[in-house]
Amino acid sequence: IDTSYTTDLLPGKDNFTGTPNNYTWSALLTYQPRAQQAGSQNKICVTASDEWLMRTTRRCIYITTGTCKACLRSGQSLGALAAEYQTDWLQIWATNPRMGNPDVIQIGANAKLINIGVLYKARAGETPLSVSERMYWSVERMVALNPQLTTFGTTAEAAKNRTLIEGQSLCVVPPVCGLICPGEGKCYRQPVSQNAGYVA
């Protein structure tokens, strides 16, 4: 490095002790994961350097995305969020008893987390298929909403019958609004023709 050339570019040349600077920068990282990223861990690295590239600092953080929760993005309605998770807005509203008026929901930095479904703790010997049948829910959607089931190279098809660890958390969206329970102790899925507004 030609130091004579380099130091000529800097204010104060070789003497930087106690020199005030106005080179403080800040940035806000906003991260909005998609439905298929639930339960995933992502590494994000930030590199900062002075304008003369004399010193560079690199810091990395890991962001673990939770499951069964989401925030509304700017311009996104509750119905659009429900469609992203293949359910309907009434189902999400019912899972969030403190939401209040669904037409007045905060978005952005002040947004509150919205429950997409409920966390279910697996029992010994259960599989995604057996849980989905008991919840009257599609096993394909259960696997899609719980990407941790397809880790370590497990295919979505194989994950359906994979034995769950006792106590393992799964995000489930039981179709409460799409069930008919006549009172004999067994419920069944309501035909879509009778409940056209429900898609799950």
Side-chain angles (χ1 to χ4, degrees):
I1 298 175
D2 183 356
T3 55
S4 61
Y5 173 76
T6 303
T7 54
D8 283 343
L9 297 178
L10 306 178
K13 295 197 174 182
D14 295 325
N15 183 13
F16 301 105
T17 304
T19 304
N21 70 77
N22 296 312
Y23 305 116
T24 301
W25 294 85
S26 62
L28 175 64
L29 171 65
T30 305
Y31 174 66
Q32 180 72 45
R34 300 291 179 178
Q36 61 270 23
Q37 293 175 298
S40 64
Q41 186 179 74
N42 299 283
K43 181 180 181 180
I44 297 179
C45 296
V46 179
T47 302
S49 63
D50 60 82
E51 60 184 296
W52 303 285
L53 302 179
M54 294 180 63
R55 183 172 181 179
T56 299
T57 301
R58 180 181 173 86
R59 295 288 184 271
C60 295
I61 59 172
Y62 288 89
I63 296 179
T64 301
T65 304
T67 58
C68 262
K69 294 184 182 293
C71 288
L72 287 178
R73 293 185 293 276
S74 178
Q76 186 180 37
S77 66
L78 192 61
L81 178 68
E84 187 175 325
Y85 287 87
Q86 299 187 26
T87 183
D88 78 309
W89 74 267
L90 188 59
Q91 174 73 40
I92 294 181
W93 185 75
T95 316
N96 294 270
R98 297 184 180 181
M99 180 181 291
N101 186 345
D103 293 325
V104 185
I105 303 175
Q106 289 183 318
I107 62 174
N110 297 320
K112 294 182 179 179
L113 286 174
I114 296 174
N115 295 319
I116 298 301
V118 294
L119 286 176
Y120 173 80
K121 299 289 187 181
R123 302 172 184 174
E126 284 188 315
T127 65
L129 181 60
S130 65
V131 173
S132 65
E133 289 175 346
R134 191 148 55 84
M135 297 287 179
Y136 302 94
W137 195 37
S138 162
V139 66
E140 289 80 13
R141 290 179 183 171
M142 175 178 286
V143 172
L145 196 57
N146 294 273
Q148 72 272 20
L149 295 175
T150 55
T151 55
F152 307 111
T154 304
T155 64
E157 189 62 33
K160 296 177 184 179
N161 295 294
R162 183 180 183 180
T163 303
L164 299 169
I165 300 171
E166 185 175 2
Q168 182 175 350
S169 294
L170 292 175
C171 180
V172 297
V173 188
V176 177
C177 301
L179 291 178
I180 294 178
C181 300
E184 293 94 10
K186 183 173 178 60
C187 300
Y188 62 91
R189 293 291 296 269
Q190 184 173 212
V192 176
S193 59
Q194 297 179 25
N195 189 15
Y198 192 77
V199 297

